[in-house]
Short mmCIF file of all heavy atoms in Angstrom, two decimals:
data_model
loop_
_atom_site.label_atom_id
_atom_site.label_comp_id
_atom_site.label_asym_id
_atom_site.label_seq_id
_atom_site.Cartn_x
_atom_site.Cartn_y
_atom_site.Cartn_z
N MET G 1 0.85 -1.17 0.00
CA MET G 1 0.00 0.00 0.00
C MET G 1 0.90 1.24 0.00
O MET G 1 1.89 1.29 0.71
CB MET G 1 -0.89 -0.04 1.24
CG MET G 1 -2.04 0.93 1.19
SD MET G 1 -3.12 0.86 2.63
CE MET G 1 -4.11 -0.56 2.28
N GLY G 2 0.53 2.22 -0.77
CA GLY G 2 1.32 3.43 -0.86
C GLY G 2 1.08 4.36 0.31
O GLY G 2 0.14 4.19 1.10
N TRP G 3 1.93 5.37 0.41
CA TRP G 3 1.83 6.31 1.51
C TRP G 3 0.52 7.06 1.52
O TRP G 3 -0.08 7.27 2.57
CB TRP G 3 3.01 7.28 1.47
CG TRP G 3 2.85 8.46 2.38
CD1 TRP G 3 2.86 9.75 2.02
CD2 TRP G 3 2.61 8.47 3.79
NE1 TRP G 3 2.66 10.57 3.10
CE2 TRP G 3 2.50 9.80 4.21
CE3 TRP G 3 2.47 7.48 4.75
CZ2 TRP G 3 2.28 10.16 5.53
CZ3 TRP G 3 2.23 7.84 6.07
CH2 TRP G 3 2.15 9.17 6.44
N LYS G 4 0.03 7.46 0.35
CA LYS G 4 -1.24 8.20 0.32
C LYS G 4 -2.38 7.34 0.83
O LYS G 4 -3.25 7.83 1.57
CB LYS G 4 -1.53 8.68 -1.10
CG LYS G 4 -0.64 9.81 -1.53
CD LYS G 4 -1.00 10.33 -2.89
CE LYS G 4 -0.09 11.47 -3.29
NZ LYS G 4 -0.45 12.05 -4.57
N GLN G 5 -2.39 6.08 0.48
CA GLN G 5 -3.44 5.18 0.96
C GLN G 5 -3.29 4.94 2.46
O GLN G 5 -4.28 4.91 3.20
CB GLN G 5 -3.39 3.86 0.20
CG GLN G 5 -3.74 4.03 -1.26
CD GLN G 5 -3.29 2.85 -2.09
OE1 GLN G 5 -2.33 2.17 -1.74
NE2 GLN G 5 -3.98 2.61 -3.19
N ASP G 6 -2.03 4.74 2.92
CA ASP G 6 -1.80 4.55 4.34
C ASP G 6 -2.22 5.78 5.13
O ASP G 6 -2.84 5.67 6.19
CB ASP G 6 -0.32 4.27 4.62
CG ASP G 6 0.08 2.84 4.34
OD1 ASP G 6 -0.81 1.98 4.24
OD2 ASP G 6 1.28 2.58 4.21
N ARG G 7 -1.87 6.96 4.62
CA ARG G 7 -2.23 8.21 5.31
C ARG G 7 -3.75 8.35 5.40
O ARG G 7 -4.28 8.74 6.45
CB ARG G 7 -1.61 9.40 4.61
CG ARG G 7 -1.87 10.70 5.33
CD ARG G 7 -1.15 11.84 4.71
NE ARG G 7 -1.55 11.98 3.31
CZ ARG G 7 -1.01 12.81 2.45
NH1 ARG G 7 -0.02 13.59 2.83
NH2 ARG G 7 -1.42 12.88 1.22
N ALA G 8 -4.46 8.03 4.34
CA ALA G 8 -5.92 8.11 4.36
C ALA G 8 -6.50 7.12 5.37
O ALA G 8 -7.43 7.45 6.11
CB ALA G 8 -6.47 7.83 2.97
N GLU G 9 -5.92 5.93 5.44
CA GLU G 9 -6.39 4.93 6.40
C GLU G 9 -6.10 5.38 7.84
O GLU G 9 -6.93 5.23 8.73
CB GLU G 9 -5.70 3.59 6.12
CG GLU G 9 -6.10 2.49 7.05
CD GLU G 9 -7.52 2.01 6.91
OE1 GLU G 9 -8.20 2.38 5.94
OE2 GLU G 9 -7.97 1.25 7.78
N ILE G 10 -4.93 5.97 8.07
CA ILE G 10 -4.58 6.46 9.39
C ILE G 10 -5.53 7.58 9.81
O ILE G 10 -6.03 7.60 10.94
CB ILE G 10 -3.11 6.94 9.43
CG1 ILE G 10 -2.18 5.72 9.36
CG2 ILE G 10 -2.82 7.77 10.67
CD1 ILE G 10 -0.73 6.05 9.10
N LYS G 11 -5.83 8.49 8.90
CA LYS G 11 -6.77 9.58 9.21
C LYS G 11 -8.16 9.03 9.49
O LYS G 11 -8.85 9.50 10.38
CB LYS G 11 -6.81 10.58 8.06
CG LYS G 11 -5.57 11.44 8.02
CD LYS G 11 -5.68 12.52 6.99
CE LYS G 11 -4.42 13.36 7.02
NZ LYS G 11 -4.59 14.66 6.48
N ARG G 12 -8.58 8.01 8.73
CA ARG G 12 -9.89 7.40 8.96
C ARG G 12 -9.94 6.75 10.34
O ARG G 12 -10.91 6.91 11.09
CB ARG G 12 -10.18 6.36 7.88
CG ARG G 12 -11.59 5.78 7.98
CD ARG G 12 -11.77 4.57 7.10
NE ARG G 12 -10.96 3.43 7.49
CZ ARG G 12 -11.25 2.62 8.52
NH1 ARG G 12 -12.29 2.86 9.28
NH2 ARG G 12 -10.48 1.60 8.79
N LEU G 13 -8.87 6.05 10.71
CA LEU G 13 -8.82 5.41 12.02
C LEU G 13 -8.80 6.44 13.14
O LEU G 13 -9.44 6.26 14.18
CB LEU G 13 -7.59 4.50 12.12
CG LEU G 13 -7.66 3.20 11.32
CD1 LEU G 13 -6.30 2.55 11.26
CD2 LEU G 13 -8.70 2.26 11.91
N MET G 14 -8.07 7.53 12.94
CA MET G 14 -8.01 8.57 13.97
C MET G 14 -9.39 9.20 14.17
O MET G 14 -9.78 9.51 15.30
CB MET G 14 -6.97 9.62 13.61
CG MET G 14 -5.55 9.08 13.74
SD MET G 14 -4.28 10.25 13.25
CE MET G 14 -4.20 11.26 14.70
N ALA G 15 -10.13 9.36 13.09
CA ALA G 15 -11.48 9.94 13.19
C ALA G 15 -12.46 8.95 13.82
O ALA G 15 -13.45 9.36 14.42
CB ALA G 15 -11.96 10.36 11.81
N ALA G 16 -12.18 7.66 13.71
CA ALA G 16 -13.10 6.63 14.21
C ALA G 16 -12.92 6.33 15.69
O ALA G 16 -13.74 5.62 16.28
CB ALA G 16 -12.90 5.34 13.41
N ARG G 17 -11.89 6.89 16.31
CA ARG G 17 -11.66 6.60 17.73
C ARG G 17 -12.80 7.17 18.57
O ARG G 17 -13.13 8.35 18.45
CB ARG G 17 -10.35 7.21 18.20
CG ARG G 17 -9.14 6.55 17.57
CD ARG G 17 -7.87 7.15 18.07
NE ARG G 17 -7.82 8.55 17.66
CZ ARG G 17 -6.92 9.41 18.05
NH1 ARG G 17 -5.98 9.04 18.88
NH2 ARG G 17 -6.93 10.66 17.63
N PRO G 18 -13.39 6.36 19.45
CA PRO G 18 -14.49 6.84 20.29
C PRO G 18 -14.06 7.92 21.28
O PRO G 18 -14.85 8.79 21.62
CB PRO G 18 -14.94 5.59 21.05
CG PRO G 18 -14.38 4.43 20.31
CD PRO G 18 -13.17 4.93 19.59
N ASP G 19 -12.83 7.88 21.75
CA ASP G 19 -12.34 8.83 22.74
C ASP G 19 -10.97 9.34 22.28
O ASP G 19 -9.94 8.93 22.79
CB ASP G 19 -12.23 8.14 24.10
CG ASP G 19 -11.87 9.08 25.22
OD1 ASP G 19 -12.03 10.30 25.05
OD2 ASP G 19 -11.44 8.59 26.28
N PRO G 20 -10.94 10.25 21.28
CA PRO G 20 -9.68 10.62 20.64
C PRO G 20 -8.62 11.20 21.56
O PRO G 20 -7.45 10.95 21.38
CB PRO G 20 -10.08 11.64 19.58
CG PRO G 20 -11.53 11.81 19.65
CD PRO G 20 -12.07 10.95 20.73
N ASP G 21 -9.02 11.97 22.55
CA ASP G 21 -8.00 12.59 23.41
C ASP G 21 -7.77 11.82 24.70
O ASP G 21 -6.90 12.17 25.49
CB ASP G 21 -8.37 14.04 23.73
CG ASP G 21 -9.75 14.18 24.30
OD1 ASP G 21 -10.39 13.16 24.63
OD2 ASP G 21 -10.22 15.32 24.43
N GLY G 22 -8.54 10.77 24.95
CA GLY G 22 -8.35 9.93 26.13
C GLY G 22 -8.86 10.53 27.43
O GLY G 22 -8.64 9.99 28.50
N LYS G 23 -9.58 11.62 27.35
CA LYS G 23 -10.05 12.29 28.56
C LYS G 23 -11.23 11.58 29.22
O LYS G 23 -11.46 11.74 30.41
CB LYS G 23 -10.43 13.74 28.26
CG LYS G 23 -9.24 14.60 27.92
CD LYS G 23 -9.65 16.04 27.68
CE LYS G 23 -8.43 16.88 27.35
NZ LYS G 23 -8.79 18.26 27.04
N ASN G 24 -11.98 10.82 28.44
CA ASN G 24 -13.17 10.17 28.99
C ASN G 24 -12.89 8.78 29.54
O ASN G 24 -13.77 8.14 30.08
CB ASN G 24 -14.27 10.10 27.93
CG ASN G 24 -14.73 11.46 27.49
OD1 ASN G 24 -14.77 12.39 28.29
ND2 ASN G 24 -15.05 11.60 26.23
N GLY G 25 -11.67 8.30 29.37
CA GLY G 25 -11.31 6.98 29.88
C GLY G 25 -12.05 5.86 29.20
O GLY G 25 -12.31 4.83 29.82
N CYS G 26 -12.40 6.05 27.95
CA CYS G 26 -13.13 5.02 27.20
C CYS G 26 -12.20 3.83 26.97
O CYS G 26 -11.15 3.95 26.34
CB CYS G 26 -13.61 5.58 25.87
SG CYS G 26 -14.56 4.38 24.91
N ASP G 27 -12.58 2.68 27.49
CA ASP G 27 -11.76 1.48 27.38
C ASP G 27 -12.57 0.34 26.77
O ASP G 27 -12.39 -0.82 27.13
CB ASP G 27 -11.21 1.10 28.76
CG ASP G 27 -10.02 0.18 28.66
OD1 ASP G 27 -9.33 0.20 27.62
OD2 ASP G 27 -9.77 -0.56 29.64
N SER G 28 -13.47 0.68 25.87
CA SER G 28 -14.33 -0.34 25.26
C SER G 28 -13.52 -1.20 24.30
O SER G 28 -12.41 -0.86 23.91
CB SER G 28 -15.49 0.33 24.51
OG SER G 28 -14.98 1.03 23.39
N GLN G 29 -14.10 -2.31 23.91
CA GLN G 29 -13.42 -3.20 22.96
C GLN G 29 -13.25 -2.51 21.62
O GLN G 29 -12.23 -2.70 20.94
CB GLN G 29 -14.21 -4.48 22.79
CG GLN G 29 -14.13 -5.40 23.99
CD GLN G 29 -14.89 -6.69 23.78
OE1 GLN G 29 -15.74 -6.78 22.91
NE2 GLN G 29 -14.58 -7.68 24.58
N GLU G 30 -14.23 -1.70 21.23
CA GLU G 30 -14.13 -0.97 19.97
C GLU G 30 -12.95 0.00 20.00
O GLU G 30 -12.16 0.07 19.06
CB GLU G 30 -15.42 -0.20 19.70
CG GLU G 30 -15.37 0.61 18.42
CD GLU G 30 -16.55 1.54 18.25
OE1 GLU G 30 -17.41 1.59 19.14
OE2 GLU G 30 -16.59 2.20 17.21
N ALA G 31 -12.81 0.73 21.10
CA ALA G 31 -11.71 1.69 21.24
C ALA G 31 -10.37 0.97 21.22
O ALA G 31 -9.42 1.42 20.57
CB ALA G 31 -11.86 2.49 22.53
N GLN G 32 -10.29 -0.16 21.90
CA GLN G 32 -9.04 -0.93 21.91
C GLN G 32 -8.70 -1.45 20.54
O GLN G 32 -7.53 -1.41 20.13
CB GLN G 32 -9.14 -2.08 22.90
CG GLN G 32 -9.15 -1.64 24.35
CD GLN G 32 -9.34 -2.79 25.31
OE1 GLN G 32 -9.53 -3.93 24.89
NE2 GLN G 32 -9.31 -2.50 26.59
N ALA G 33 -9.70 -1.91 19.79
CA ALA G 33 -9.46 -2.43 18.44
C ALA G 33 -8.99 -1.33 17.49
O ALA G 33 -8.04 -1.52 16.73
CB ALA G 33 -10.72 -3.10 17.90
N VAL G 34 -9.65 -0.18 17.54
CA VAL G 34 -9.27 0.94 16.67
C VAL G 34 -7.87 1.41 17.03
O VAL G 34 -7.03 1.63 16.14
CB VAL G 34 -10.29 2.09 16.77
CG1 VAL G 34 -9.77 3.33 16.07
CG2 VAL G 34 -11.62 1.68 16.17
N ASN G 35 -7.57 1.56 18.31
CA ASN G 35 -6.25 2.01 18.73
C ASN G 35 -5.16 1.01 18.37
O ASN G 35 -4.06 1.40 17.99
CB ASN G 35 -6.23 2.31 20.22
CG ASN G 35 -6.95 3.59 20.55
OD1 ASN G 35 -7.05 4.49 19.72
ND2 ASN G 35 -7.46 3.69 21.77
N ALA G 36 -5.45 -0.28 18.47
CA ALA G 36 -4.47 -1.31 18.10
C ALA G 36 -4.18 -1.26 16.61
O ALA G 36 -3.02 -1.35 16.19
CB ALA G 36 -4.98 -2.69 18.50
N GLU G 37 -5.20 -1.11 15.79
CA GLU G 37 -5.01 -1.03 14.34
C GLU G 37 -4.26 0.25 13.97
O GLU G 37 -3.36 0.23 13.12
CB GLU G 37 -6.36 -1.09 13.62
CG GLU G 37 -6.27 -1.03 12.12
CD GLU G 37 -5.58 -2.22 11.49
OE1 GLU G 37 -5.45 -3.27 12.15
OE2 GLU G 37 -5.17 -2.10 10.32
N LEU G 38 -4.60 1.35 14.60
CA LEU G 38 -3.91 2.62 14.36
C LEU G 38 -2.44 2.50 14.76
O LEU G 38 -1.55 2.93 14.01
CB LEU G 38 -4.59 3.74 15.15
CG LEU G 38 -4.04 5.14 14.98
CD1 LEU G 38 -4.09 5.58 13.52
CD2 LEU G 38 -4.83 6.11 15.84
N ASP G 39 -2.19 1.91 15.89
CA ASP G 39 -0.81 1.71 16.35
C ASP G 39 -0.03 0.85 15.37
O ASP G 39 1.12 1.15 15.03
CB ASP G 39 -0.82 1.08 17.74
CG ASP G 39 0.56 1.03 18.35
OD1 ASP G 39 1.24 2.07 18.35
OD2 ASP G 39 0.94 -0.04 18.84
N ARG G 40 -0.64 -0.21 14.88
CA ARG G 40 0.02 -1.10 13.91
C ARG G 40 0.35 -0.35 12.63
O ARG G 40 1.48 -0.45 12.12
CB ARG G 40 -0.87 -2.30 13.60
CG ARG G 40 -0.20 -3.34 12.71
CD ARG G 40 -1.16 -4.45 12.32
NE ARG G 40 -2.21 -3.99 11.41
CZ ARG G 40 -2.02 -3.74 10.11
NH1 ARG G 40 -0.84 -3.87 9.58
NH2 ARG G 40 -3.02 -3.34 9.36
N LYS G 41 -0.60 0.43 12.13
CA LYS G 41 -0.37 1.20 10.90
C LYS G 41 0.76 2.21 11.09
O LYS G 41 1.59 2.40 10.21
CB LYS G 41 -1.64 1.96 10.50
CG LYS G 41 -2.64 1.14 9.79
CD LYS G 41 -2.18 0.94 8.38
CE LYS G 41 -3.28 0.33 7.56
NZ LYS G 41 -2.78 -0.11 6.28
N LEU G 42 0.78 2.90 12.24
CA LEU G 42 1.81 3.90 12.48
C LEU G 42 3.19 3.26 12.64
O LEU G 42 4.19 3.81 12.18
CB LEU G 42 1.46 4.73 13.71
CG LEU G 42 0.34 5.73 13.51
CD1 LEU G 42 -0.05 6.35 14.84
CD2 LEU G 42 0.71 6.79 12.50
N ARG G 43 3.25 2.10 13.28
CA ARG G 43 4.55 1.43 13.46
C ARG G 43 5.15 0.95 12.14
O ARG G 43 6.36 0.79 12.04
CB ARG G 43 4.42 0.27 14.43
CG ARG G 43 4.24 0.72 15.85
CD ARG G 43 4.14 -0.48 16.78
NE ARG G 43 3.81 -0.07 18.11
CZ ARG G 43 4.72 0.19 19.04
NH1 ARG G 43 5.99 0.08 18.77
NH2 ARG G 43 4.35 0.57 20.24
N GLU G 44 4.32 0.73 11.13
CA GLU G 44 4.80 0.31 9.82
C GLU G 44 5.51 1.44 9.09
O GLU G 44 6.29 1.19 8.17
CB GLU G 44 3.64 -0.17 8.95
CG GLU G 44 3.03 -1.46 9.37
CD GLU G 44 1.82 -1.83 8.53
OE1 GLU G 44 1.36 -1.00 7.71
OE2 GLU G 44 1.32 -2.95 8.70
N GLN G 45 5.25 2.68 9.49
CA GLN G 45 5.79 3.84 8.80
C GLN G 45 7.14 4.26 9.38
O GLN G 45 7.38 4.07 10.56
CB GLN G 45 4.82 5.02 8.92
CG GLN G 45 3.43 4.73 8.44
CD GLN G 45 3.38 4.29 7.00
OE1 GLN G 45 4.09 4.81 6.15
NE2 GLN G 45 2.54 3.31 6.72
N PRO G 46 8.00 4.86 8.56
CA PRO G 46 9.24 5.44 9.10
C PRO G 46 8.89 6.55 10.09
O PRO G 46 7.80 7.12 10.04
CB PRO G 46 9.94 6.02 7.88
CG PRO G 46 9.27 5.43 6.69
CD PRO G 46 7.89 5.01 7.12
N ILE G 47 9.81 6.86 10.97
CA ILE G 47 9.54 7.83 12.04
C ILE G 47 9.10 9.19 11.50
O ILE G 47 8.21 9.81 12.05
CB ILE G 47 10.77 7.97 12.98
CG1 ILE G 47 10.41 8.79 14.21
CG2 ILE G 47 11.95 8.59 12.26
CD1 ILE G 47 9.53 8.09 15.16
N TRP G 48 9.68 9.65 10.41
CA TRP G 48 9.29 10.96 9.89
C TRP G 48 7.89 10.95 9.32
O TRP G 48 7.18 11.94 9.36
CB TRP G 48 10.31 11.46 8.87
CG TRP G 48 10.48 10.60 7.66
CD1 TRP G 48 11.31 9.53 7.52
CD2 TRP G 48 9.77 10.72 6.42
NE1 TRP G 48 11.17 8.98 6.26
CE2 TRP G 48 10.24 9.69 5.56
CE3 TRP G 48 8.80 11.60 5.95
CZ2 TRP G 48 9.76 9.52 4.28
CZ3 TRP G 48 8.33 11.41 4.66
CH2 TRP G 48 8.82 10.39 3.85
N ARG G 49 7.45 9.79 8.81
CA ARG G 49 6.06 9.71 8.33
C ARG G 49 5.09 9.63 9.48
O ARG G 49 3.96 10.11 9.38
CB ARG G 49 5.90 8.50 7.41
CG ARG G 49 6.40 8.77 6.04
CD ARG G 49 5.89 7.74 5.09
NE ARG G 49 6.32 8.02 3.75
CZ ARG G 49 6.45 7.10 2.83
NH1 ARG G 49 6.16 5.86 3.09
NH2 ARG G 49 6.85 7.43 1.63
N ARG G 50 5.49 9.00 10.58
CA ARG G 50 4.62 8.96 11.76
C ARG G 50 4.33 10.38 12.22
O ARG G 50 3.19 10.71 12.54
CB ARG G 50 5.29 8.20 12.90
CG ARG G 50 5.37 6.74 12.69
CD ARG G 50 5.97 6.08 13.89
NE ARG G 50 6.77 4.95 13.47
CZ ARG G 50 7.55 4.27 14.26
NH1 ARG G 50 7.66 4.59 15.52
NH2 ARG G 50 8.23 3.25 13.80
N ALA G 51 5.36 11.19 12.27
CA ALA G 51 5.18 12.58 12.71
C ALA G 51 4.26 13.33 11.76
O ALA G 51 3.38 14.07 12.19
CB ALA G 51 6.53 13.28 12.80
N ARG G 52 4.43 13.12 10.46
CA ARG G 52 3.55 13.79 9.49
C ARG G 52 2.11 13.34 9.68
O ARG G 52 1.19 14.15 9.61
CB ARG G 52 4.01 13.48 8.07
CG ARG G 52 5.20 14.29 7.65
CD ARG G 52 5.55 14.05 6.22
NE ARG G 52 4.51 14.58 5.34
CZ ARG G 52 4.49 14.39 4.03
NH1 ARG G 52 5.42 13.69 3.45
NH2 ARG G 52 3.53 14.91 3.29
N ALA G 53 1.90 12.06 9.91
CA ALA G 53 0.53 11.55 10.06
C ALA G 53 -0.13 12.10 11.30
O ALA G 53 -1.31 12.40 11.31
CB ALA G 53 0.55 10.03 10.10
N LEU G 54 0.65 12.25 12.37
CA LEU G 54 0.07 12.70 13.63
C LEU G 54 -0.10 14.21 13.73
O LEU G 54 -1.05 14.69 14.32
CB LEU G 54 0.93 12.21 14.80
CG LEU G 54 0.95 10.70 15.02
CD1 LEU G 54 1.96 10.34 16.09
CD2 LEU G 54 -0.43 10.20 15.40
N TYR G 55 0.85 14.96 13.15
CA TYR G 55 0.85 16.39 13.36
C TYR G 55 0.47 17.21 12.14
O TYR G 55 0.31 18.42 12.24
CB TYR G 55 2.22 16.84 13.88
CG TYR G 55 2.56 16.16 15.17
CD1 TYR G 55 3.60 15.24 15.24
CD2 TYR G 55 1.82 16.41 16.33
CE1 TYR G 55 3.89 14.59 16.42
CE2 TYR G 55 2.12 15.76 17.50
CZ TYR G 55 3.16 14.87 17.54
OH TYR G 55 3.44 14.23 18.72
N GLU G 56 0.33 16.55 11.01
CA GLU G 56 -0.06 17.27 9.80
C GLU G 56 -1.55 17.53 9.82
O GLU G 56 -2.33 16.76 10.33
CB GLU G 56 0.30 16.42 8.59
CG GLU G 56 0.18 17.13 7.28
CD GLU G 56 0.66 16.22 6.14
OE1 GLU G 56 0.03 15.17 5.95
OE2 GLU G 56 1.64 16.56 5.51
N ASP G 57 -1.97 18.62 9.25
CA ASP G 57 -3.39 18.99 9.23
C ASP G 57 -4.18 18.13 8.31
O ASP G 57 -3.95 17.47 7.49
CB ASP G 57 -3.54 20.45 8.84
CG ASP G 57 -4.94 20.92 9.15
OD1 ASP G 57 -5.46 20.57 10.20
OD2 ASP G 57 -5.47 21.68 8.33
#
């Protein structure tokens, strides 16, 4: 999968998180699954791409 597709998938997963900032303490199975998939996708990327995915608008 190319970077553009990975970036779109990462953005989709970030938008799908039930508790994006972690302030509500949401620990549901859905939240854990989305966070695990997001973590896996981000770990596949080089460090500079991780930063772009997380901090880019």
Side-chain angles (χ1 to χ4, degrees):
M1 194 179 280
W3 167 238
K4 288 184 180 183
Q5 294 163 333
D6 281 343
R7 184 174 58 186
E9 180 68 11
I10 288 168
K11 286 186 179 203
R12 186 192 65 77
L13 287 168
M14 289 177 80
R17 293 181 296 171
D19 186 17
D21 54 9
K23 291 182 180 177
N24 297 325
C26 182
D27 199 25
S28 67
Q29 288 182 342
E30 179 189 2
Q32 290 176 356
V34 170
N35 286 334
E37 181 66 17
L38 182 59
D39 188 49
R40 186 185 69 75
K41 280 284 190 191
L42 287 172
R43 287 181 187 268
E44 290 176 352
Q45 305 302 320
I47 190 72
W48 60 274
R49 280 196 178 155
R50 288 183 215 172
R52 282 185 68 187
L54 293 173
Y55 301 112
E56 190 177 62
D57 194 41

